[in-house]
Structures are given as structure tokens and as C-alpha cells.
């Protein structure tokens, strides 16, 4: 019976001794989980923090509140007589390590963000410069195209003006030629003086070869000369002589029936 009581007493004593230890371990594990959750909650928005975040009053107060809460939790943890108690200096060291780690992580995240922003800024600037260069090149090409079109337009205008001038010149020459022919054929001339000389005119031709053929066909003293009114026309006439001689020459040509209409003109 004594042995049974001893076993019961020993088991009860072991339960009493180990029960605080189990409670301590459970509380410590719960404390670690809570701290991990709080830390993750605290760090989840670090990627969007601005440059002066660590100097912000809210951040400093949050750190202080976190440390105070951690200290209170540490004070509530029971200690076992079989294990050494956690000293206040060690708790402070742990808390300082946590703060330093959080700060390092935040600085690293901020640095990475700054590098990415700087890289994006450089790429954006490079893109803007390329767009500006492309726009300037486009303006140069458009200016060249406009200049070429203006030159082509001026060239076409000049060609049209030259063509118009040539047509006007031809029309003027034609009109003058027609007037000259009409004047020659109609016998318009100033009234000759009594001592003036005369010649027989057989016709006016635009072809020198035709004019020479007519002069050769008639024979005598007929010659081919360029018209004094139009150098592109040729006159078949006799050499000048007195009026009575010229009249006889005219009658002689008419008698040959060569299909000509000789006229007497003053020299």
C-alpha cells in the first residue's frame, strides 16, 4: 500500500511540476504566432511607402506600441523554477533585433523601389527623346516634300508660260504674214513718182525651192529674193526697170499661159 501511495504522490507531483511548463510553452508558442501575424500585418504595405516613411510620427508610434506590447506579453509569460528566467536585457535585445530587421527589410524594399523608379524614369526619358527625334525627322521630311512640290509647281508654271508665249508669238507671226500677203497680193503701195522704177512680181512662196522652180520656168531676168516683210517667205520678181519695159515684160509672161498672175509694183 505504501508503494502505491508513493506512486500516486510522485505522479501528482510530476503533474503539478510539469503543468506550468506546458502552460508556459503554449503561451510562448501563441505569443510567437501573434508576433508573426502582427509583423506580417505591419510589413505588408511597405512597398508603397514614401521616402520619409521612417521619419513619420505614425511609424515611430507604431514601433513604440509594438515594443510596449511585446514587453507586456513577455512579462505575462510564467517562468519555471527549473529554467532560467528571461532577463529584461535579453528581451530588449530581441526587440531591438526585430526592429533592426524590420528597418533593414524596409530600407531594402525602399532601395529596390527607388532603383526601379529610377530605371523607369531613364527608360521614359529615353522613350521621350526617341519620340522627339522621330517627330523632328518627320518635320524635316515634310519640309523636303513641300519644297519639292513647290519646285515642281513652279517648273510646270514656267513651262506653261513658255508655251503660252510661243503660241502668242506664232499667232502674231501668222497674223503679220497674212497681212503681208494680203498687202502684196492687193497691190497696196505708195503712189510711185514719175521717175521711179518698177518690177514684175510673179508671187510669194513659203518654199524657196518652189520659188526657184517658178523663176527657172519663166526664164529671163527673174530672181528669187527673201521678202523684206517676212524672212521666211520668198518673192519671185524681175530686176527693176522703167515702167514701159516692165509693162512689156508682164505682157510677155502672161502670154506664155503658165498659170501665173504677174503684177507690176514700184521699186
Amino acid at each position: 500500500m505504501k508503494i502505491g501511495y508513493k506512486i500516486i504522490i510522485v505522479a501528482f507531483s510530476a503533474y503539478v511540476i510539469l503543468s506550468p511548463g506546458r502552460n508556459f510553452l503554449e503561451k510562448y508558442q501563441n505569443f510567437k504566432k501573434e508576433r508573426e501575424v502582427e509583423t506580417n500585418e505591419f510589413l505588408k504595405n511597405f512597398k508603397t511607402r514614401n521616402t520619409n516613411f521612417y521619419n513619420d510620427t505614425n511609424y515611430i508610434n507604431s514601433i513604440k506600441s509594438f515594443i510596449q506590447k511585446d514587453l507586456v506579453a513577455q512579462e505575462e509569460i510564467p517562468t519555471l523554477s527549473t529554467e532560467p528566467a528571461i532577463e529584461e536585457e535579453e528581451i530588449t535585445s530581441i526587440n531591438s533585433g526585430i526592429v533592426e530587421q524590420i528597418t533593414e527589410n524596409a530600407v531594402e524594399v525602399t532601395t529596390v523601389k527607388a532603383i526601379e523608379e529610377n530605371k523607369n524614369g531613364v527608360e521614359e526619358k529615353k522613350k521621350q527623346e526617341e519620340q522627339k527625334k522621330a517627330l523632328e525627322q518627320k518635320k524635316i521630311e515634310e519640309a523636303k516634300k513641300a519644297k519639292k512640290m513647290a519646285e515642281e509647281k513652279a517648273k510646270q508654271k514656267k513651262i506653261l508660260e513658255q508655251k503660252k508665249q510661243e503660241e502668242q508669238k506664232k499667232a502674231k507671226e501668222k497674223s503679220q504674214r497674212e497681212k503681208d500677203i494680203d498687202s502684196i497680193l492687193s497691190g497696196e503701195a505708195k503712189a510711185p513718182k514719175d521717175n521711179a522704177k518698177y518690177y514684175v512680181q510673179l508671187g510669194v512662196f513659203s518654199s524657196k525651192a518652189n520659188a526657184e522652180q517658178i523663176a527657172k520656168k519663166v526664164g529671163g531676168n527673174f530672181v528669187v529674193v527673201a521678202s523684206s516683210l517676212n524672212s521666211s517667205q520668198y518673192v519671185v520678181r524681175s530686176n527693176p526697170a522703167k515702167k514701159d519695159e516692165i509693162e512689156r515684160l508682164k505682157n510677155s509672161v502672161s502670154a506664155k499661159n503658165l498659170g501665173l498672175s504677174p503684177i507690176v509694183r514700184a521699186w
Side-chain angles (χ1 to χ4, degrees), residues 12-31:
F12 180 77
S13 299
Y15 174 80
V16 172
I17 293 171
L18 295 176
S19 180
R22 286 195 299 273
N23 292 334
F24 170 81
L25 292 175
E26 289 177 358
K27 288 184 177 181
Y28 183 75
Q29 291 175 354
N30 292 333
F31 163 74

Side-chain angles (χ1 to χ4, degrees), residues 53-67:
F53 174 79
Y54 299 106
N55 296 326
D56 188 75
T57 305
N58 294 329
Y59 171 76
I60 296 172
N61 292 335
S62 298
I63 293 296
K64 290 181 179 180
S65 175
F66 178 82
I67 294 173

Side-chain angles (χ1 to χ4, degrees), residues 51-239:
T51 306
N52 297 324
F53 174 79
Y54 299 106
N55 296 326
D56 188 75
T57 305
N58 294 329
Y59 171 76
I60 296 172
N61 292 335
S62 298
I63 293 296
K64 290 181 179 180
S65 175
F66 178 82
I67 294 173
Q68 290 175 358
K69 186 175 181 180
D70 188 48
L71 291 173
V72 171
Q74 290 287 348
E75 292 176 357
E76 292 178 355
I77 297 175
T79 58
L80 293 176
S81 57
T82 57
E83 296 182 2
I86 300 175
E87 298 294 338
E88 183 176 354
E89 294 179 356
E90 186 177 354
I91 294 173
T92 304
S93 177
I94 293 171
N95 292 334
S96 299
I98 294 172
V99 173
E100 289 178 359
Q101 185 64 37
I102 292 172
T103 305
E104 289 177 359
N105 293 337
V107 170
E108 183 178 355
V109 171
T110 305
T111 303
V112 172
K113 182 180 179 182
I115 293 172
E116 291 178 352
E117 290 177 351
N118 184 51
K119 182 179 179 181
N120 293 334
V122 171
E123 291 178 353
E124 182 65 22
K125 185 177 180 180
K126 184 178 180 182
K127 183 178 180 181
Q128 291 177 357
E129 290 178 352
E130 290 177 351
Q131 291 177 349
K132 184 178 179 181
K133 187 176 181 181
L135 182 60
E136 291 177 352
Q137 185 65 28
K138 184 178 180 180
K139 289 181 178 179
I140 293 172
E141 294 295 333
E142 290 177 351
K144 288 181 178 179
K145 186 176 181 181
K147 183 179 179 181
K148 186 176 181 181
M149 291 178 65
E151 291 176 350
E152 187 66 23
K153 187 176 180 180
K155 185 178 179 181
Q156 293 294 334
K157 185 178 180 181
K158 186 176 180 181
I159 292 173
L160 291 175
E161 289 178 352
Q162 290 177 348
K163 186 177 181 180
K164 185 177 179 181
Q165 291 176 357
E166 290 177 357
E167 290 177 352
Q168 290 177 350
K169 184 179 179 181
K170 289 180 179 179
K172 186 176 180 180
E173 290 177 351
K174 182 179 180 182
S175 176
Q176 186 63 40
R177 186 167 57 252
E178 291 175 351
K179 288 181 180 180
D180 294 340
I181 294 173
D182 291 341
S183 176
I184 294 171
L185 295 177
S186 62
E188 293 180 358
K190 294 181 180 180
K193 296 181 180 180
D194 293 339
N195 58 355
K197 291 186 177 182
Y198 299 85
Y199 64 91
V200 176
Q201 179 176 299
L202 299 180
V204 179
F205 303 90
S206 59
S207 173
K208 186 177 181 180
N210 292 338
E212 289 176 345
Q213 185 178 2
I214 293 296
K216 184 177 180 181
K217 186 177 182 180
V218 175
N221 59 352
F222 284 90
V223 295
V224 176
V225 296
S227 173
S228 60
L229 300 176
N230 191 340
S231 59
S232 63
Q233 293 180 343
Y234 302 92
V235 179
V236 179
R237 65 169 177 79
S238 66
N239 290 322

